[in-house]
Amino acid sequence: LAMAKVIKPDSLRNLHHVLDNSFLPELYSLKGEYTSQRMSRLIEEIGGNEAAMASFYASLVRPNEEALVYDITSLSSYSRNLEWLEYGYNRDCMDLPQVNLGLVVSLETRMPLLLKLFPGSVTDVVTLRNLAEEARSIGIDDCMFILDRGFYSEGNIELLKEAGIDFIMPLPFGRKVGKGLISETNANITNAENARMFKDEVYHVVEEELEIAGAKLKGFVLFSKKKGSEEHQLFYRHLLDIEQVLEGMTVCRGNPMQTFKDAAGRFASYFECTVQDRVLHLKRRQNAIAQAENRFGKMILLSSRQAAWDDVLSLYRQRDEAEKQFDQLKNELELLPLRVQRTVSLRGLLFIFFVALLIRMHLLNRAREAGLLARQSVDDIIFELSKLRAVSTGGRWMLTEVTKKVRTPLEKLKIPVPVGVST
């Protein structure tokens, strides 16, 4: 089923079509039809065997895993029978109850190691603590959390410290500590002695020792001129587009100021807006714009470990892997919105998705090593390989013509071209 999900991301109730049009039934000697009733029984059986799932997760963990990334997300559902469905902070911006999902990924191999389900109203820090305990139970001792800026608060940092959880997270510019660091380093961050190289990209770096909520942290202010230039272009392009549309606009209906705020969005703070005879007039706020410019190309990273700046940046960038994997779970594999009716079924369903994700990431790593990703995505490669067809003739499966587009990825992946087999 997981392989079928990788071949064609579709709901489980439609996977029998994928199975019927693939070689998987012959490959695995599958018998019987995959009806919705059979599928329901299967995922319940899987979801009810937590010991077997834990054993499987433990088998993925290698001795002395060097670094792991942890992340959490929420999955929304219309179901009325999932006992773990509860309202909480919904990252999907959906007005639905949810369950929370934790994913553990090996930073060295980029492979997923653990998928864990939590009730929807459990706070993020509690979820992280529970996830750390679950990771330790399957043999993972080195727990480093790479968090987004939404986690930042003095209360959360205090709880993370008390729980003994190491972390890396960005410090929001809007917080007092962030504003202070930007102001303090603005004048000298571009000095020559602060220049560093990170994977062929130049950064300017200033390091600071910080104490937040009783926790001693390392703070890194990083500036990329390249990124700053890109952000400068995007910012002014958006600013000027808004100004061009709204300046002199006549608002015939409704509240003109509300029209301005709705149209300008987060850029509203960069304008003074006045209304004369229902006509909008904009004036740029120079101080607000100057503050925004001071942040272009900059990022502040906090680390609970005393580590080198490039190690911290490298670990933080690995967060992209976790986000991509969640995106694959939630979008490419069409996981949202959940429509299963029982928590045990949800566990089984997520386990199938996890195995599909494991297969997909294995393919991704193999394709990356083979140099196939420069011009193709994994989806492109799977699509091309799906054109390889077999027909059964006289008790023997025979391949149709193997085209160059099929043969090339197989050769680069060092996979022998399949040959006909007896039934």
Side-chain angles (χ1 to χ4, degrees):
L1 289 174
M3 290 182 72
K5 290 292 293 182
V6 173
I7 293 170
K8 183 174 175 56
D10 206 343
S11 64
L12 285 178
R13 64 177 176 270
N14 293 327
L15 280 190
H16 64 280
H17 297 302
V18 182
L19 291 169
D20 289 342
N21 290 291
S22 77
F23 196 69
L24 290 175
E26 285 71 29
L27 187 65
Y28 291 107
S29 301
L30 301 180
K31 296 180 180 180
E33 296 182 1
Y34 274 81
T35 62
S36 59
Q37 293 83 359
R38 185 182 179 191
M39 300 290 278
S40 296
R41 289 195 301 270
L42 177 63
I43 62 174
E44 281 197 17
E45 183 180 350
I46 294 171
N49 198 339
E50 293 188 70
M53 286 191 287
S55 177
F56 178 79
Y57 291 135
S59 73
L60 302 175
V61 179
R62 303 175 309 164
N64 303 316
E65 286 278 0
E66 291 185 6
L68 301 166
V69 66
Y70 300 72
D71 209 339
I72 60 174
T73 191
S74 52
L75 302 175
S76 305
S77 177
Y78 294 104
S79 174
R80 297 183 179 182
N81 299 319
L82 280 172
E83 56 266 32
W84 279 12
L85 273 180
E86 297 169 346
Y87 280 93
Y89 170 62
N90 195 302
R91 296 170 182 80
D92 306 315
C93 299
M94 301 174 74
D95 187 22
L96 290 170
Q98 65 191 21
V99 290
N100 286 333
L101 187 65
L103 180 66
V104 181
V105 181
S106 168
L107 286 178
E108 185 174 349
T109 65
R110 304 185 183 188
M111 297 295 286
L113 299 174
L114 172 67
L115 194 63
K116 183 66 177 176
L117 197 64
F118 300 96
S121 64
V122 174
T123 61
D124 286 343
V125 173
V126 174
T127 301
L128 292 177
R129 186 169 57 203
N130 292 342
L131 187 55
E133 293 174 358
E134 187 76 19
R136 293 186 185 107
S137 74
I138 63 169
I140 302 171
D141 295 319
D142 187 9
C143 295
M144 168 64 83
F145 286 73
I146 314 297
L147 308 172
D148 66 20
R149 56 177 41 86
F151 274 88
Y152 180 84
S153 72
E154 291 190 1
N156 279 351
I157 287 179
E158 187 174 5
L159 289 171
L160 290 169
K161 178 176 177 290
E162 291 174 357
I165 294 175
D166 280 320
F167 63 87
I168 292 170
M169 77 169 78
L171 175 61
F173 292 136
R175 298 304 180 104
K176 183 178 179 181
V177 180
K179 288 180 180 178
L181 281 175
I182 292 295
S183 297
E184 292 169 14
T185 61
N186 189 54
N188 67 348
I189 193 168
T190 56
N191 288 354
E193 63 267 21
N194 293 327
R196 308 283 189 273
M197 184 69 77
F198 181 83
K199 296 182 178 179
D200 298 326
E201 186 174 350
V202 176
Y203 279 86
H204 286 76
V205 183
V206 175
E207 302 181 14
E208 298 284 348
E209 298 289 339
L210 303 172
E211 184 170 331
I212 301 175
K216 295 185 182 300
L217 306 174
K218 198 79 176 284
F220 302 91
V221 183
L222 302 106
F223 171 66
S224 165
K225 188 174 182 179
K226 177 184 176 183
K227 185 179 177 184
S229 178
E230 293 171 354
E231 292 179 357
H232 182 276
Q233 288 290 322
L234 288 172
F235 177 85
Y236 274 101
R237 192 177 298 154
H238 199 164
L239 187 85
L240 295 173
D241 284 347
I242 290 172
E243 190 175 63
Q244 184 177 8
V245 170
L246 296 182
E247 171 61 35
M249 174 188 282
T250 300
V251 181
C252 299
R253 297 180 181 179
N255 185 329
M257 285 300 296
Q258 190 61 48
T259 299
F260 158 72
K261 291 178 181 178
D262 291 342
R266 66 184 184 87
F267 273 69
S269 60
Y270 300 118
F271 294 102
E272 288 181 8
C273 179
T274 57
V275 181
Q276 294 179 342
D277 298 326
R278 302 190 69 82
V279 176
L280 301 180
H281 297 284
L282 306 184
K283 182 180 178 182
R284 299 173 194 172
R285 294 180 183 268
Q286 298 299 328
N287 289 340
I289 292 172
Q291 286 182 2
E293 287 183 321
N294 284 338
R295 300 170 182 175
F296 292 158
K298 294 178 183 176
M299 174 172 57
I300 305 172
L301 289 178
L302 300 177
S303 172
S304 62
R305 291 182 180 177
Q306 292 295 312
W309 76 273
D310 51 344
D311 288 337
V312 171
L313 180 57
S314 179
L315 288 171
Y316 180 71
R317 282 192 169 183
Q318 292 292 342
R319 176 183 170 79
D320 290 342
E321 294 295 333
E323 290 180 341
K324 289 175 184 176
Q325 292 188 36
F326 274 134
D327 182 65
Q328 289 168 14
L329 273 173
K330 296 168 70 173
N331 299 315
E332 293 182 36
L333 299 181
E334 297 187 2
L335 188 56
L336 286 174
L338 298 173
R339 296 184 184 275
V340 291
Q341 298 299 313
R342 298 176 60 197
T343 300
V344 66
S345 298
L346 178 55
R347 283 200 199 97
L349 177 65
L350 289 176
F351 186 77
I352 293 172
F353 278 107
F354 179 83
V355 178
L357 182 59
L358 202 61
I359 296 168
R360 185 181 178 84
M361 289 306 299
H362 180 70
L363 288 172
L364 181 65
N365 287 343
R366 289 282 299 274
R368 183 184 290 113
E369 292 167 2
L372 288 171
L373 298 183
R375 296 183 179 180
Q376 289 180 299
S377 67
V378 169
D379 289 328
D380 295 332
I381 295 169
I382 291 173
F383 176 73
E384 288 299 334
L385 293 178
S386 71
K387 295 176 182 177
L388 184 62
R389 296 288 177 174
V391 294
S392 180
T393 305
R396 184 176 179 83
W397 285 95
M398 303 295 293
L399 291 180
T400 57
E401 182 183 359
V402 182
T403 66
K404 182 180 178 181
K405 286 188 176 181
V406 170
R407 188 179 296 275
T408 299
L410 288 176
E411 290 175 348
K412 288 189 175 182
L413 291 168
K414 297 181 180 179
I415 298 172
V417 176
V419 296
V421 296
S422 299
T423 55

